[in-house]
């Protein structure tokens, strides 16, 4: 492939990353390349500059190729700029959802260092390890071969005591993916911060039809309740997160606590959750909002009743676990109609904690993004910003939970302090 051909291809990929065509069929096909180009824009910009310089030095760069190289560099620069701006939108969303004083419950207020360019991570975006985190691999939580395994990540060294717990659910359209392929930057970051992070596999379609996926997520929550103390976690405080299909399962699990429909054989298990951080999931799979866009049920293979059961029950007046304000394409937080107008019934036992979502007062349906470019599969400028924002949300919620527990049990808090304060591990 010559220099001009490479420049045409790169220019087309960059244009696709900046603005995907609105046609659903074309958008679906362009999603994957747009995601990679958008998140790896700095690396592609450097490669474009190097390729152009070499072509010029060898006398192989024509005028058309140089013009395309310049336009591509400008487009990639715009994508890099968007990544840098992510923290502004995320910080504004946190302040609007949690209150401007939420930083008082953090370990420290945000600093310029939190927004520094992660050059080392950008140089090795797929290098998933940290010297201060240990990962206990392939722990069986139920009998389903490799699909019944989970990993536990925690701070390396002394085993924590009473640490907050984060459950990570991978995506992949319910038909592929594994615990090793998604959410790793967030999992390693929170483990280094003192959390115990559980990343799970679950049974996949079409071999195992719905609701096998949500049943497995519920089974993992029940396993955490029973066993996580052995790994240093607090079984009374479990938060869930996930992206894409994992985001849908995350929301469905959070909004159906201890629902026997999704807990066959373990109906009495407590599967309630303290909070949820769903990323770029499809939440209105039944089309209950009236939106014409129904990607979850776009194929005949999903019957209407199956779609209804897959749609998280998020009625306009229900109370539910707090949800982190998620990010959408270009780090823009959107109040999307499919999420704004969701209607349904509140399941018994739903959490009475207020939601934490951008621009949505307590008591209303939390906002959520349109399907967007994910940034939790490898390190990028945007993914680091998102991880930092999620960290703030989780830290705020953990400290709020811990302080409320101490206020309700002052004598126990004093005894814990004298014994070493297990709940202070993540502070």
């Amino acid at each position: 492939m010559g220099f001009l051909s490479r420049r045409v291809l790169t220019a087309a990929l960059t244009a696709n990353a900046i603005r995907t065509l609105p046609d659903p069929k074309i958008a679906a096909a362009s999603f994957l390349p747009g995601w990679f180009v958008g998140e790896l824009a700095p690396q592609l910009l450097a490669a474009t500059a190097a390729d152009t310089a070499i072509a010029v030095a060898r006398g192989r760069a024509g005028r058309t190729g140089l013009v395309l190289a310049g336009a591509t560099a400008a487009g990639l620069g715009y994508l890099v700029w968007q990544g840098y701006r992510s923290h502004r939108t995320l910080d504004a969303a946190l302040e609007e959802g949690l209150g401007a004083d939420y930083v008082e419950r953090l370990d420290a207020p945000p600093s310029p260092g939190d927004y520094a360019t992660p050059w080392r991570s950008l140089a090795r975006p797929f290098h998933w390890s940290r010297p201060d985190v240990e990962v206990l691999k392939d722990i069986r939580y139920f009998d389903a071969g490799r699909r019944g395994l989970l990993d536990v990540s925690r701070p390396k060294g002394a085993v924590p005591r009473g640490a907050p717990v984060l459950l990570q659910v991978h995506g992949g359209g319910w038909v592929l993916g594994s615990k090793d392929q998604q959410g790793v930057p967030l999992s390693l970051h929170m483990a280094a911060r003192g959390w115990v992070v559980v990343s799970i596999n679950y049974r996949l379609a079409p071999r195992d039809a719905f609701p096998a996926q949500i049943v497995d997520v519920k089974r993992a929550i029940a396993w955490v309740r029973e066993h996580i103390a052995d790994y240093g976690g607090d079984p009374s405080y479990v938060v869930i997160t996930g992206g894409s299909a994992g985001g849908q399962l995350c929301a469905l699990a959070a909004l159906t606590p201890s629902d026997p429909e999704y807990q066959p054989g373990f109906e009495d298990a407590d599967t309630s959750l303290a909070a949820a951080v769903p990323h770029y999931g499809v939440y209105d799979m039944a089309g209950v909002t009236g939106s014409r866009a129904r990607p979850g049920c776009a194929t005949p293979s999903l019957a209407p009743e199956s779609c209804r059961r897959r749609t998280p029950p998020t009625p306009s007046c229900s109370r539910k676990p707090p949800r982190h304000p998620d990010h959408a394409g270009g780090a823009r937080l959107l109040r999307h109609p499919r999420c704004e107008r969701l209607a349904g019934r509140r399941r018994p036992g739903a959490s009475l904690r207020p939601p934490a979502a951008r621009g949505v007062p307590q008591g209303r349906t939390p906002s959520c993004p349109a399907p967007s470019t994910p940034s939790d599969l490898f390190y990028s400028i945007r993914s680091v910003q998102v991880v930092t924002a999620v960290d703030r949300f989780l830290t705020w919620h953990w400290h709020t939970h811990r302080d409320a527990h101490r206020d309700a049990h002052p004598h126990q808090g004093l005894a814990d302090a004298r014994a070493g304060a297990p709940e202070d591990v993540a502070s």
Side-chain angles (χ1 to χ4, degrees), residues 226-319:
E226 183 176 356
H227 298 286
I228 204 62
D230 298 336
Y231 299 89
D234 180 356
S236 70
Y237 183 84
V238 183
V239 177
I240 193 168
T241 186
S244 190
Q248 180 266 337
L249 292 170
C250 166
L252 185 58
L255 294 164
T256 57
S258 304
D259 189 333
E261 179 181 3
Y262 300 126
Q263 298 180 201
F266 58 107
E267 292 86 354
D268 296 333
D270 179 9
T271 59
S272 61
L273 295 158
V277 187
H279 295 266
Y280 58 94
V282 178
Y283 306 111
D284 178 19
M285 301 190 70
V288 298
T289 63
S291 171
R292 294 182 180 179
R294 296 171 57 187
C297 293
T299 62
S301 61
L302 290 179
E305 176 61 19
S306 177
C307 294
R308 182 198 65 77
R309 295 177 69 199
R310 291 169 184 252
T311 298
T314 51
S316 58
C317 295
S318 71
R319 298 174 180 178

Side-chain angles (χ1 to χ4, degrees), residues 29-381:
S30 63
F31 167 76
L32 191 62
W35 156 40
F36 272 105
V37 172
E39 296 305 306
L40 298 175
Q43 294 90 335
L44 190 55
L45 178 59
T48 298
D51 186 39
T52 303
I54 293 173
V56 170
R58 294 179 176 178
R60 298 177 180 176
R63 178 176 298 179
T64 302
L66 291 174
V67 170
L68 286 174
T72 300
L76 292 171
Y78 172 74
L79 293 173
V80 171
W81 176 70
Q82 278 192 325
Y84 278 118
R85 292 184 64 222
S86 300
H87 73 87
R88 298 183 181 181
T89 307
L90 291 163
D91 287 350
L94 287 169
E95 289 185 8
E96 188 173 351
L98 306 181
D101 61 346
Y102 87 95
V103 295
E104 297 176 4
R105 290 190 178 272
L106 303 181
D107 297 326
S111 66
D114 295 332
Y115 310 120
T117 304
W119 294 115
R120 181 175 299 179
S121 297
L122 292 181
R124 305 174 68 186
F126 297 96
H127 181 69
W128 293 337
S129 67
R130 289 187 59 141
D132 52 353
V133 173
E134 69 170 340
V135 181
L136 308 177
K137 303 282 291 184
D138 296 335
I139 301 168
R140 186 165 302 281
Y141 74 96
F142 85 109
D143 188 15
R146 291 197 58 79
R147 305 317 304 176
L149 301 178
L150 58 80
D151 296 342
V152 174
S153 303
R154 62 185 182 182
K156 182 174 289 186
V159 176
R161 297 172 55 210
V165 180
L166 178 64
L167 180 65
Q168 160 68 33
V169 184
H170 72 78
W174 307 278
V175 298
L176 51 85
S178 78
K179 56 185 171 56
D180 307 307
Q181 298 173 351
Q182 192 171 1
V184 179
L186 176 63
S187 298
L188 293 177
H189 177 87
M190 297 311 300
R193 294 270 288 131
W195 288 58
V196 174
V197 182
V198 179
S199 303
I200 68 167
N201 281 341
Y202 54 85
R203 289 173 293 169
L204 300 174
R207 176 177 177 177
D208 293 286
F210 184 86
Q213 295 73 41
I214 186 61
V215 169
D216 293 354
V217 173
K218 296 278 192 175
R219 200 187 308 271
I221 298 171
W223 183 93
V224 167
R225 295 281 188 197
E226 183 176 356
H227 298 286
I228 204 62
D230 298 336
Y231 299 89
D234 180 356
S236 70
Y237 183 84
V238 183
V239 177
I240 193 168
T241 186
S244 190
Q248 180 266 337
L249 292 170
C250 166
L252 185 58
L255 294 164
T256 57
S258 304
D259 189 333
E261 179 181 3
Y262 300 126
Q263 298 180 201
F266 58 107
E267 292 86 354
D268 296 333
D270 179 9
T271 59
S272 61
L273 295 158
V277 187
H279 295 266
Y280 58 94
V282 178
Y283 306 111
D284 178 19
M285 301 190 70
V288 298
T289 63
S291 171
R292 294 182 180 179
R294 296 171 57 187
C297 293
T299 62
S301 61
L302 290 179
E305 176 61 19
S306 177
C307 294
R308 182 198 65 77
R309 295 177 69 199
R310 291 169 184 252
T311 298
T314 51
S316 58
C317 295
S318 71
R319 298 174 180 178
K320 53 191 72 66
R323 294 175 61 192
H324 178 267
D326 199 358
H327 63 286
R332 295 168 297 185
L333 295 178
L334 304 179
R335 203 180 301 173
H336 197 268
R338 284 207 300 274
C339 301
E340 282 288 303
R341 302 196 303 271
L342 264 176
R345 65 184 186 279
R346 178 169 67 89
R347 302 289 180 95
S351 171
L352 300 181
R353 305 178 190 276
R358 185 177 191 265
V360 181
Q362 180 176 343
R364 291 186 57 195
T365 303
S367 64
C368 63
S372 60
T373 300
S375 57
D376 63 336
L377 281 81
F378 49 82
Y379 290 104
S380 69
I381 294 175

Side-chain angles (χ1 to χ4, degrees), residues 366-414:
S367 64
C368 63
S372 60
T373 300
S375 57
D376 63 336
L377 281 81
F378 49 82
Y379 290 104
S380 69
I381 294 175
R382 190 188 342 268
S383 75
V384 172
Q385 306 285 8
V386 171
V387 165
T388 301
V390 173
D391 178 2
R392 292 188 195 125
F393 172 79
L394 294 177
T395 300
W396 168 85
H397 192 268
W398 165 240
H399 287 183
T400 301
H401 166 86
R402 184 187 59 183
D403 293 345
H405 177 78
R406 285 176 171 171
D407 291 342
H409 305 88
H411 299 295
Q412 180 179 343
L414 180 60

